[in-house]
Amino acid sequence: MSTTNFADQVNQADMEAIRQVVATVEHAQNNELPDEFLALFRADAIWTTGGGKRLFGREAISTFTHQVLPGGMRDLTVTFEIEHVLLIRPDVAAVKVRQVYRKPDGTEEVGTPLFVMAKEDGRWRLTACQNTIVPGDD
């Protein structure tokens, strides 16, 4: 995972915590760890998958993730790169991510997720997320 410096907008501690959330999403996907992934979400979170499936609440996200993640990364790796962070309020951030799935033959599939995160009890959590596949990387 690589990142860009957003120090002008986000303080260093919050930026590092946001980076860690994104890094944990990457780790959980690459290692097919649904519970690690789910621990990042608020209970009432919204997630829209790359295929457009809308999931409301951590329980629905859990059901979906436990169905697709084990085995879903077979022969794939994924990387996440933070492209932009917009601090909406001191405790709410919109995080734009470049996601690249790589197959063993070298082909890639690019996505451009948006993670809206909220800071609660000192911890950044995924709150409203949209995962969008890009037909061609720009």
Side-chain angles (χ1 to χ4, degrees):
M1 185 186 91
S2 62
T3 58
T4 305
N5 183 1
F6 300 102
D8 292 345
Q9 187 181 41
V10 182
N11 74 51
Q12 188 173 357
D14 283 331
M15 189 63 220
E16 185 53 38
I18 289 168
R19 281 187 187 107
Q20 188 57 49
V21 171
V22 175
T24 302
V25 172
E26 180 180 298
H27 180 264
Q29 285 195 4
N30 278 315
N31 295 283
E32 299 187 342
L33 302 169
D35 293 330
E36 181 176 287
F37 176 68
L38 295 163
L40 300 170
F41 287 89
R42 284 174 36 143
D44 60 350
I46 299 168
W47 180 266
T48 303
T49 70
K53 186 169 183 70
R54 296 174 315 273
L55 306 168
F56 302 101
R58 192 170 40 223
E59 186 174 319
I61 297 167
S62 176
T63 299
F64 176 81
T65 302
H66 279 94
Q67 290 172 350
V68 300
L69 192 53
M73 292 299 294
R74 185 176 299 120
D75 297 325
L76 294 173
T77 58
V78 65
T79 56
F80 289 82
E81 176 184 351
I82 295 175
E83 293 184 312
H84 188 79
V85 175
L86 170 63
L87 197 62
I88 298 166
R89 297 187 331 210
D91 61 343
V92 178
V95 182
K96 196 63 181 159
V97 177
R98 183 174 189 269
Q99 164 188 287
V100 181
Y101 286 95
R102 291 179 181 82
K103 298 178 183 179
D105 66 4
T107 59
E108 296 180 346
E109 183 176 288
V110 177
T112 179
L114 175 64
F115 298 159
V116 177
M117 297 183 196
K119 188 176 182 181
E120 298 176 345
D121 299 322
R123 184 172 172 203
W124 286 95
R125 294 192 172 273
L126 297 172
T127 304
C129 305
Q130 170 82 36
N131 193 1
T132 305
I133 302 301
V134 189
D137 192 18
D138 49 2

